[in-house]
Amino acid sequence: MARSPLAAPPRDQGGPLIKNPTLVPVLTLLWIILILFVLYPAVKLLLVTFSVDGAFSLQNFSGIWKSAYDRQALWNSLFLGVCVALSGTFLGFCFAYFAVRMRVPAFLKWLVGVLTLLPLISPPFTSSVALTLALGPNGIILSFLGIPQVSFYGFWGTWIAETLTYFPVAFLALAAVLVSLDPSMEDAALSLGSSPWRVFRTITLPMTTPGLANSLLLLFANSLADFATPLVLAGHTFPVLPTQAYLQITGLYDLRGGAALSFLLLVPALAAYLLQHYWVSRKSYVTITGKSGARSSLKGMGSIGETAVFIICIAVSLFVVFLYAIIFMASFVKVFGVNHSFTMEHFVYVFQYGNKAIKDTLIVACLATPIGGLLAVVIGFITHRKKFLGNRFLDFTCMLNYALPGTVVGIAYIVAFNEKPLVLTGTLTILVAAYIFRYFAAGIRSVVASLHQIDKNIEEASLSLGAGAGRTFFKVTLPLVIPAVLAGMKYLFIHSMTAISATIFLVSVNWTLLTTRILESMTGLQFAQASAFSVVLIVLVFIGSGSMTLLVRFYSSRLAGVKEISS
Amino acid sequence: MTVDLCIEGLGKTFIKGKEAFTAVRGVSLHVAAGELVTFLGPSGCGKTTILRMVAGFETPSEGSITVGGRDVTTLPVHMRGIGFVFQNYALFPHMSIFENVAYGLRAAKTDETEITRRVAEALELVGLRKVESRFPNQLSGGEQQRVALARVLVLQPKLLLMDEPLSNLDAKLRLHMRTEIRRIQQHLEITCLYVTHDQKEALTLSDRVMVVNKGRVEQIGTPFDLYAAPKSLFVADFIGQANILPARIVALSGDKAEIDLLGKPFSFRFVPGSGPERAGNGSVVLRPENIVLTPHGSGRLDATVRHRFFVGDHMEYDVSLADGQVIAAFVPYSPGMALFEPGQRVHLDFSDNAPVVLFQEKAGV
Ligand SMILES: Nc1ncnc2c1ncn2[C@@H]1O[C@H](COP(=O)(O)OP(=O)(O)OP(=O)(O)O)[C@@H](O)[C@H]1O
Ligand SMILES: [Mg+2]
């Protein structure tokens, strides 16, 4: 069904819809799906938030303004977001600088690179569980240092955990920026008599400003939307919006109040997203004039700064290793911190009582991943190669659930699918749809990016050599975008396995998820079981994403081979 | 203020992964104060690497660099007081033109009034006006090039290093900037190293040219020396156009050589010092512009015209000799000149006074 328009010759770019009659059924189908799973829930959420008994009203917000606790949650969320953005970007920059610019042994760089990837593929509770075991009540670090009880729950714990969880996002963004900085800028500054530290201050840093701003906004949005960490670590002293909305709905059965709270969350999140997407990403110093003559020669920021970066990176890396070791150990000993004798009983428990969760999680992820991948190719191809009315709106719609905090999406889904005409709550469909439409945006982006790189002449060459349009698409275009699709599918898979903020509202007796089991274990103070669940989940994600990485490599290397031969 | 530069036995070995690659070896050069020396050579021969070592961006694996009698081999870049002009200009995109030019002065903690004055002076020197508040991306390529130049000249560097500074400009502008650079360099009497791909640029611009090949110096000399008396076939071939023919040297006396070329006897005047020392096999280098083509009669060699190109100021012919070798011959354009058609048989000779370069075949080659 989706094939016929794709097979249309790519040459007729710019033609109106009439020129591509085959496109009509596919577009119609796409729009039906998108309206159903993206626009309808969003509109429904707005309706519920802003109406009482069918009339426009702001009454749902009055409860929030009256409640000092809810007001506090708003400020806390914003404050936490700013703090995490700052600390995470700082750490991310240090790591990026370490990996890209410093003269350190290659294996150290590799090791640090792998360590920064760990939080990206781990379930959101990992650092929370480990931090609780390390710094929480009776935490091993505290007892080791002989520090008496300090309250770790609240701002500090949440902040540390979120920083550790999200700094790799900043790392990836900033490393890409640092790599693409033209080294001759810094050479020029040095040759004009500037000291290395001044070069860093006046050239390197300002030229990465757009990248830094980008990273700040990304982390701000991530922290704002984070649900799992505050649920475990924030406690009652530090309420934040996502957890408040969750408690409002699951604890007080106040759907409208929850919707209103999530709307408060939506505003800054969307603002950050739009700012990042439409403003910062346009500002970039990466594009340079003329042909770059110089090669990358490593430039430092001076010995004091480099020593500091080195120490920070090694210390944080060790801490991350330490945290993962704790999780691992806690799942294999009787009672972590008390009785360290080896046992398999937690894993026995996991496979006895968590079997269904494991199976369900895998089913959901294995359904969402290929469907999302297929949608990403179709949408990426259509938005990039075919110009027609509503193209930009299509793009925006696809990005919407991604830009919104997971809590908002989850609430929108129960608001929309809990009552007629469409009752989907408690089904597999709603879980799969939630993941697909929330995370397939990454796939679309990477498909579009790789389509940009494919010279249209290649397709035209195929056509001129007598291959039909269909043959051209399947033999030429598709193979070239497969690495991008796989990369997008990997992202989708990882998040389908680990993300919880949206789906926490959608799980049911029929369909449950590993992440919810971890959460239940945590709230039940069953740290050992939580650790065992986490280990199982990490291993599953690792196997899945690892094999997809290998596939991407395999395809990319084949493509690289092709390029070498043809050049 | 002007200083001389002395490079002694300079070498650079890069370690790529586990492989060592020697990009530059045994380069020695003395540049007199106020002199402009051009590095010329094929792509990848190490020109940039030598220049970057002089600048201090790369650390030499061996050898030494002395500027004005002071050994700077291990001195950090920012303390060398050199000016470096990049191929891509490397203007700071986040700073205005004024700030770009003032950058080095600020590093040297110059006071603000002085900065304003000197920036204006430097921009004046390169012929730019009213651009101070603009940003690099608001300037044309040629203007950016001037700013890059002003940015280093404002510091009154003792040594100016330029790596293909004109290669991003179009042909007309390149010609103009070439003379500009030379004018400024001579006016300020700056010692200057200049890297280029363009041999015309090298020949017209420099006091001396250093031809580099595979990381080694092939020859250093004035443009005229290189053209008239190349010391190796590589230089002969690289500078200008050259037909290189195998020949047998029969006898030598003074600056005259008796040659056997394709079985015909020739007597050539050869450039002293460049030529062979004894009889034997060798090669002879014939510049295309020294070859004379005649329809019939006087020439000593038979040839057949293969192609004819009109280049504007002269005609270029590809002709094949009796043994099938194809060589190039240039005939200056004059109105009403006789043209040869492809396939036509002609005779070929050499201008009497044209100095011809001879090479002895090296032992074992
Ligand atoms: N940092 C480096 N690491 C490894 N190899 C290098 C490095 N820099 C240069 N090389 C190698 O050294 C050789 C000389 O390079 P260089 O840039 O000096 O050549 P060039 O003469 O300037 O060439 P072009 O005219 O193309 O600019 C090349 O083969 C290049 O690949
Ligand atoms: Mg070069």
Side-chain angles (χ1 to χ4, degrees):
Chain A
M1 173 93 214
R3 284 172 188 179
S4 47
L6 300 176
R11 232 191 317 215
D12 52 19
Q13 186 187 28
L17 206 50
I18 307 116
K19 264 204 202 161
N20 293 297
T22 37
L23 211 55
V24 175
V26 175
L27 264 181
T28 318
L29 190 73
L30 267 184
W31 271 117
I32 291 176
I33 299 176
L34 287 173
I35 288 173
L36 199 62
F37 288 111
V38 180
L39 294 178
Y40 173 63
V43 171
K44 201 79 201 252
L45 178 70
L46 289 183
L47 284 180
V48 168
T49 310
F50 286 102
S51 75
V52 173
D53 300 329
F56 177 78
S57 154
L58 288 176
Q59 202 192 319
N60 291 325
F61 290 94
S62 65
I64 299 174
W65 290 119
K66 280 200 206 101
S67 154
Y69 203 61
D70 284 345
R71 279 207 309 274
Q72 192 57 43
L74 174 60
W75 299 129
N76 283 350
S77 271
L78 295 176
F79 179 68
L80 180 69
V82 170
C83 290
V84 171
L86 289 173
S87 57
T89 301
F90 174 75
L91 271 191
F93 187 83
C94 287
F95 273 81
Y97 199 88
F98 182 87
V100 175
R101 287 305 179 85
M102 282 188 19
R103 246 179 255 272
V104 285
F107 80 93
L108 258 187
K109 286 194 179 182
W110 180 82
L111 211 64
V112 166
V114 170
L115 284 179
T116 49
L117 286 181
L118 267 179
L120 288 179
I121 64 162
S122 304
F125 295 113
T126 322
S127 52
S128 315
V129 176
L131 275 173
T132 311
L133 291 171
L135 295 171
N138 303 318
I140 57 164
I141 289 191
L142 294 188
S143 37
F144 179 74
L145 295 175
I147 301 173
Q149 293 299 323
V150 280
S151 177
F152 160 77
Y153 290 111
F155 170 74
W156 291 101
T158 319
W159 178 56
I160 294 175
E162 287 195 0
T163 302
L164 288 179
T165 310
Y166 293 122
F167 87 87
V169 176
F171 164 74
L172 288 183
L174 292 171
V177 173
L178 276 183
V179 164
S180 52
L181 269 195
D182 182 357
S184 61
M185 295 294 161
E186 287 160 278
D187 282 352
L190 279 173
S191 73
L192 292 169
S194 230
S195 67
W197 174 245
R198 183 168 182 267
V199 172
F200 177 75
R201 224 167 18 83
T202 55
I203 307 294
T204 319
L205 214 49
M207 300 231 322
T208 39
T209 319
L212 290 171
N214 186 28
S215 151
L216 285 172
L217 287 169
L218 264 177
L219 292 205
F220 176 74
N222 269 322
S223 158
L224 206 61
D226 192 6
F227 164 79
T229 315
L231 195 64
V232 174
L233 292 179
H236 294 297
T237 52
F238 192 74
V240 292
L241 283 179
T243 48
Q244 274 315 103
Y246 171 70
L247 295 175
Q248 198 83 17
I249 289 172
T250 55
L252 302 174
Y253 302 103
D254 175 9
L255 198 58
R256 286 172 183 279
L261 276 172
S262 77
F263 183 80
L264 286 189
L265 189 59
L266 182 153
V267 175
L270 212 55
Y273 175 79
L274 291 177
L275 210 60
Q276 183 239 334
H277 204 70
Y278 292 101
W279 180 63
V280 174
S281 62
R282 302 270 149 94
K283 274 185 80 95
S284 158
Y285 292 126
V286 170
T287 39
I288 44 169
T289 51
K291 160 182 145 196
S292 169
R295 286 157 302 268
S296 63
S297 50
L298 295 172
K299 295 283 167 321
M301 54 164 99
S303 47
I304 300 175
E306 280 182 28
T307 313
V309 168
F310 186 82
I311 291 174
I312 289 172
C313 289
I314 295 300
V316 172
S317 300
L318 287 178
F319 192 57
V320 170
V321 172
F322 172 70
L323 289 183
Y324 277 84
I326 286 184
I327 296 263
F328 198 68
M329 200 176 146
S331 67
F332 280 109
V333 299
K334 282 222 152 63
V335 182
F336 186 77
V338 179
N339 179 357
H340 283 186
S341 51
F342 177 83
T343 176
M344 287 300 287
E345 67 186 46
H346 310 309
F347 284 98
V348 172
Y349 173 89
V350 163
F351 286 108
Q352 219 160 39
Y353 299 101
N355 215 350
K356 178 163 168 50
I358 296 177
K359 224 172 63 204
D360 287 357
T361 305
L362 282 174
I363 291 175
V364 169
C366 290
L367 278 176
T369 307
I371 300 177
L374 181 69
L375 279 174
V377 186
V378 175
I379 296 176
F381 193 80
I382 288 183
T383 51
H384 180 250
R385 286 288 157 91
K386 312 280 171 192
K387 297 264 153 56
F388 55 87
L389 205 69
N391 212 335
R392 287 188 65 107
F393 187 60
L394 180 69
D395 187 53
F396 171 81
T397 311
C398 293
M399 292 291 151
L400 188 63
N401 277 7
Y402 169 72
L404 295 179
T407 314
V408 177
V409 175
I411 293 176
Y413 268 46
I414 43 168
V415 166
F417 300 120
N418 213 9
E419 53 189 39
K420 284 184 178 155
L422 252 172
V423 182
L424 287 177
T425 39
T427 64
L428 176 63
T429 315
I430 196 169
L431 284 173
V432 173
Y435 281 127
I436 290 179
F437 293 100
R438 194 159 147 65
Y439 295 112
F440 79 154
I444 299 178
R445 280 275 176 265
S446 68
V447 167
V448 168
S450 83
L451 281 175
H452 263 299
Q453 285 173 350
I454 300 174
D455 197 337
K456 273 208 359 245
N457 292 344
I458 295 180
E459 289 170 5
E460 287 171 353
S462 164
L463 289 171
S464 73
L465 290 172
R471 197 180 168 76
T472 299
F473 179 77
F474 285 106
K475 291 274 173 199
V476 177
T477 317
L478 197 59
L480 289 174
V481 295
I482 275 185
V485 181
L486 282 174
M489 280 168 65
K490 186 174 118 188
Y491 181 88
L492 185 55
F493 176 78
I494 293 173
H495 283 87
S496 302
M497 294 288 288
T498 60
I500 187 175
S501 53
T503 37
I504 186 80
F505 297 97
L506 308 174
V507 289
S508 59
V509 203
N510 303 335
W511 294 97
T512 181
L513 296 172
L514 266 174
T515 38
T516 37
R517 292 309 303 265
I518 300 177
L519 180 64
E520 284 162 21
S521 306
M522 284 302 285
T523 42
L525 298 182
Q526 300 169 297
F527 295 124
Q529 281 83 342
S531 302
F533 270 121
S534 301
V535 169
V536 169
L537 186 50
I538 291 174
V539 169
L540 286 178
V541 171
F542 193 77
I543 292 172
S545 66
S547 43
M548 286 165 95
T549 307
L550 286 182
L551 262 181
V552 173
R553 286 238 180 99
F554 171 70
Y555 267 102
S556 306
S557 68
R558 270 189 23 176
L559 285 184
V562 171
K563 269 176 201 151
E564 263 161 39
I565 291 164
S566 65
S567 67
Chain B
M1 183 60 193
T2 53
V3 295
D4 67 336
L5 164 73
C6 196
I7 298 174
E8 206 79 59
L10 202 62
K12 177 74 190 178
T13 302
F14 289 110
I15 313 287
K16 282 187 198 164
K18 289 201 173 74
E19 272 173 63
F21 172 75
T22 304
V24 174
R25 62 190 94 192
V27 170
S28 297
L29 167 73
H30 180 262
V31 185
E35 191 183 21
L36 191 156
V37 172
T38 306
F39 296 173
L40 191 61
S43 188
C45 68
K47 307 178 293 286
T48 300
T49 309
I50 302 173
L51 206 66
R52 288 172 63 85
M53 285 192 282
V54 176
F57 297 138
E58 309 278 2
T59 318
S61 309
E62 56 188 35
S64 68
I65 300 163
T66 316
V67 177
R70 178 175 176 216
D71 188 328
V72 299
T73 316
T74 54
L75 199 66
V77 190
H78 62 284
M79 295 156 92
R80 289 199 187 189
I82 43 102
F84 198 103
V85 178
F86 293 82
Q87 186 175 10
N88 63 351
Y89 317 145
L91 297 182
F92 307 132
H94 57 298
M95 295 182 189
S96 66
I97 301 307
F98 181 89
E99 285 306 319
N100 262 285
V101 179
Y103 188 85
L105 294 173
R106 291 207 197 285
K109 307 223 164 19
T110 317
D111 71 23
E112 207 58 33
T113 47
E114 170 97 355
I115 289 180
T116 317
R117 185 178 61 75
R118 281 172 63 179
V119 168
E121 252 175 41
L123 287 174
E124 181 78 17
L125 185 68
V126 296
L128 277 179
R129 269 168 234 270
K130 301 210 177 89
V131 294
E132 276 102 330
S133 58
R134 288 206 241 162
F135 281 81
N137 61 2
Q138 298 169 319
L139 297 185
S140 73
E143 288 167 335
Q144 291 182 16
Q145 172 61 61
R146 287 160 195 265
V147 175
L149 206 54
R151 187 174 67 178
V152 303
L153 292 178
V154 76
L155 295 175
Q156 298 161 348
K158 295 176 268 187
L159 195 57
L160 184 58
L161 310 177
M162 295 191 248
D163 190 359
E164 304 191 37
L166 303 182
S167 65
N168 284 322
L169 303 180
D170 64 61
K172 263 252 171 68
L173 199 55
R174 203 178 310 169
L175 210 67
H176 178 69
M177 282 307 292
R178 191 202 286 173
T179 27
E180 280 286 273
I181 288 178
R182 183 59 164 165
R183 176 184 66 79
I184 294 168
Q185 182 262 336
Q186 284 178 329
H187 171 71
L188 301 175
E189 295 177 354
I190 308 176
T191 313
C192 183
L193 292 180
Y194 189 105
V195 169
T196 179
H197 260 122
D198 182 340
Q199 49 158 306
K200 270 227 175 93
E201 201 168 293
L203 297 180
T204 51
L205 192 66
S206 5
D207 295 309
R208 283 190 299 155
V209 177
M210 175 166 104
V211 181
V212 186
N213 183 27
K214 294 188 184 143
R216 291 176 200 276
V217 177
E218 283 280 340
Q219 188 171 357
I220 306 174
T222 62
F224 187 79
D225 276 352
L226 293 181
Y227 193 79
K231 288 224 171 68
S232 64
L233 276 178
F234 177 83
V235 176
D237 196 26
F238 198 76
I239 308 285
Q241 246 177 304
N243 298 306
I244 300 171
L245 298 174
R248 211 164 59 74
I249 300 159
V250 180
L252 295 165
S253 66
D255 62 352
K256 289 274 186 202
E258 304 297 323
I259 305 279
D260 180 348
L261 190 60
L262 295 170
K264 300 271 166 65
F266 286 87
S267 173
F268 284 135
R269 196 168 64 85
F270 71 94
V271 185
S274 77
E277 278 122 39
R278 59 198 153 71
N281 287 333
S283 1
V284 38
V285 174
L286 298 172
R287 298 284 180 197
E289 64 271 23
N290 294 337
I291 295 176
V292 178
L293 296 181
T294 48
H296 33 249
S298 57
R300 276 170 285 185
L301 289 176
D302 291 332
T304 311
V305 174
R306 291 280 166 222
H307 302 284
R308 186 180 74 198
F309 311 96
F310 178 54
V311 190
D313 52 350
H314 65 266
M315 302 295 295
E316 250 183 74
Y317 290 102
D318 281 351
V319 299
S320 60
L321 299 179
D323 64 348
Q325 276 191 88
V326 176
I327 64 171
F330 297 166
V331 181
Y333 172 80
S334 57
M337 68 192 285
L339 294 180
F340 304 107
E341 300 302 326
Q344 190 177 344
R345 298 188 62 83
V346 290
H347 287 275
L348 186 147
D349 215 329
F350 315 107
S351 317
D352 275 351
N353 287 325
V356 164
V357 190
L358 293 178
F359 288 100
Q360 188 102 48
E361 200 155 281
K362 284 197 193 96
V365 176

